């Protein structure tokens, strides 16, 4: 019996990459016994979230997010609003594709389609933020993280990942620490920070070495706090991130926890999966193995709980 699958795609993602991929996508999935429905997102706020929720309520067995991390985030938020959740497929045709990187198929959408066609899945954790929002990859806060959601879709379509660099050049001169109170594992950090990450995967902003210990189904977050440092030490720290040695720095706090609370006496924007969420205070919690995602378990065994 054919499985009902909906592909929700962002028409503007990745320089309109999905349009070129569409004939192959339909052929591969149809041959794998999927009944495919294609639905484009719209510019309306949270349109993708609403479409995903409606697909789940209509009995679709599979929902495939075709786009970047923002599209994946909105689809996840739609699926998490229903009790009986379809399996999630990810077709990476965005600019950075962090979650697809964690699943080890970010560079080739056709490869992702073949993995979906094989119908092998894993169960993954989902992060919950203030009871109403969800994220699959990470939550983050601090001025430098604003780059990810400040870049317009038109810039990403024109420049690709360079758009983030151009945006970063405007943000860096304004980079300033924020005074926070972050509680985790019955410990509390109080002080000035440049940024924090609450991760479910190793990949953020295309950097696959940001959080090497992260596991997709551990039931735990990997918390990273970057304390206030001088510009010189900041650049040195970024260099160490490329090597994956930054977790040993005295300027970084790293902890494994299933709950994080963030408070600040100043404006502190928080993003989920690179999408603007809101301002602190925030409580972030793990929902263990909340979604079933198409993936090749053998290829990502190092990123799964043993």
């Amino acid at each position: 019996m054919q499985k009902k699958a909906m592909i929700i795609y962002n028409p503007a993602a990745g320089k309109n990459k999905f349009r070129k991929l569409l004939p192959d996508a339909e052929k591969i999935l149809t041959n794998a016994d999927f009944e495919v429905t294609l639905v484009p997102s719209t510019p309306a706020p949270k349109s993708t979230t609403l479409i995903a929720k409606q697909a789940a309520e209509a009995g679709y067995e599979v929902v495939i997010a075709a786009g970047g991390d923002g599209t994946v985030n909105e689809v996840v938020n739609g699926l998490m609003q229903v009790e009986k959740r379809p399996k999630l497929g990810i077709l990476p045709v965005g600019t950075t594709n962090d979650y697809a990187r964690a699943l080890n198929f970010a560079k080739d959408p056709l490869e992702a389609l073949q993995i979906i066609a094989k119908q092998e899945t894993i169960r993954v954790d989902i992060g919950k933020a203030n009871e109403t929002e969800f994220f699959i990859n990470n939550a983050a806060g601090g001025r430098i993280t604003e780059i990810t959601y400040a870049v317009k879709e038109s810039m990403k379509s024109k420049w690709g990942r360079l758009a983030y660099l151009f945006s970063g050049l405007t943000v860096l001169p304004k980079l300033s620490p924020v005074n926070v109170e972050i509680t985790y594992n019955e410990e509390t950090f109080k002080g000035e920070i440049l940024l924090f990450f609450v991760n479910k995967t190793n990949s953020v902003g295309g950097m696959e070495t940001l959080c090497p210990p992260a596991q997709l189904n551990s039931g735990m977050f990997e918390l990273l706090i970057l304390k206030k440092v001088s510009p010189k030490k900041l650049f040195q720290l970024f260099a160490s991130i490329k090597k994956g040695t930054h977790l040993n720095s005295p300027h970084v706090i790293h902890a494994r926890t299933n709950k994080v609370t963030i408070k600040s006496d100043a404006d502190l924007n928080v993003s989920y999966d690179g999408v603007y969420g809101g301002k602190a205070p925030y409580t972030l919690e793990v929902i263990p193995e909340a979604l079933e995602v198409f993936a090749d378990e053998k290829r990502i065994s190092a990123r799964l709980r043993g």
Side-chain angles (χ1 to χ4, degrees):
M1 182 182 293
Q2 284 189 313
K3 293 181 175 62
K4 290 177 64 178
M6 179 181 288
I7 301 178
I8 306 173
Y9 66 97
N10 178 353
K15 301 181 181 180
N16 301 306
K17 193 184 296 182
F18 182 70
R19 292 185 187 278
K20 303 169 188 175
L21 188 68
L22 179 54
D24 289 324
E26 287 192 291
K27 182 179 179 180
I28 290 169
L29 294 177
T30 300
N31 288 344
D33 213 22
F34 288 101
E35 179 187 337
V36 180
T37 301
L38 297 167
V39 181
S41 61
T42 73
K46 299 188 181 297
S47 75
T48 305
T49 294
L50 178 60
I51 294 166
K53 180 184 177 186
Q54 290 172 338
E57 292 172 338
Y60 277 84
E61 297 161 272
V62 174
V63 174
I64 299 170
D69 294 304
T71 301
V72 174
N73 175 269
E74 286 205 39
V75 168
V76 167
N77 272 273
L79 299 185
M80 290 300 295
Q81 292 180 41
V82 299
E83 191 170 329
K84 188 176 180 181
R85 298 164 191 150
K87 297 174 183 178
L88 172 64
I90 296 174
L91 193 52
V93 290
T95 305
T96 307
N97 304 312
D98 274 319
Y99 202 76
R101 287 174 183 273
L103 296 176
N104 201 18
F105 52 65
K107 296 178 182 178
D108 190 349
L110 284 175
E111 189 176 34
L113 280 166
Q114 295 292 354
I115 288 173
I116 294 170
K118 288 180 181 178
Q119 302 188 40
E120 296 177 3
T121 62
I122 59 171
R123 297 204 70 90
V124 302
D125 302 336
I126 297 295
K128 180 173 68 171
N130 281 3
E131 301 295 332
T132 58
E133 298 289 336
F134 302 91
F135 57 97
I136 194 169
N137 193 59
N138 74 85
R143 289 299 304 271
I144 198 168
T145 65
E146 295 173 16
I147 294 170
T148 56
Y149 53 84
V151 180
K152 294 180 180 178
E153 200 68 54
S154 58
M155 279 191 68
K156 288 191 281 186
S157 294
K158 183 176 181 180
W159 298 105
R161 291 180 66 184
L162 284 175
Y164 292 103
L165 175 61
F166 298 151
S167 181
L169 292 175
T170 65
V171 171
L172 281 176
K174 307 172 189 175
L175 192 61
S176 57
V178 180
N179 198 52
V180 300
E181 180 179 312
I182 299 178
T183 302
Y184 59 95
N185 295 340
E186 300 183 355
E187 297 184 42
T188 299
F189 169 85
K190 295 182 180 180
E192 291 184 308
I193 67 165
L194 290 179
L195 56 89
F196 73 84
F197 289 106
V198 177
N199 295 319
K200 272 310 309 166
T201 82
N202 62 307
S203 181
V204 177
M207 296 184 294
E208 296 185 39
T209 55
L210 184 69
C211 197
Q215 295 174 318
L216 302 171
N217 62 347
S218 64
M220 306 290 277
F221 292 129
E222 302 292 331
L223 170 65
L224 272 66
I225 302 172
L226 173 54
K227 302 175 189 176
K228 176 185 175 181
V229 293
S230 67
K232 180 180 178 181
K233 287 182 179 178
L234 178 61
F235 282 110
Q236 290 173 342
L237 197 56
F238 282 162
S240 70
I241 288 175
K242 286 190 174 183
K243 301 176 184 176
T245 59
H246 57 291
L247 298 184
N248 298 321
S249 168
H251 307 298
V252 174
I253 294 174
H254 169 232
R256 177 167 281 192
T257 180
N258 61 6
K259 183 177 180 179
V260 182
T261 60
I262 302 110
K263 300 177 183 178
S264 177
D265 55 11
D267 274 356
L268 177 61
N269 293 333
V270 178
S271 65
Y272 316 121
D273 303 333
V275 178
Y276 175 69
K279 297 185 183 297
Y282 264 98
T283 298
L284 310 174
E285 297 179 80
V286 175
I287 307 177
E289 300 189 342
L291 277 182
E292 199 170 351
V293 177
F294 290 98
D296 185 337
E297 186 172 348
K298 292 180 182 177
R299 294 180 58 177
I300 57 170
S301 59
R303 296 171 189 171
L304 298 174
R305 183 184 64 231

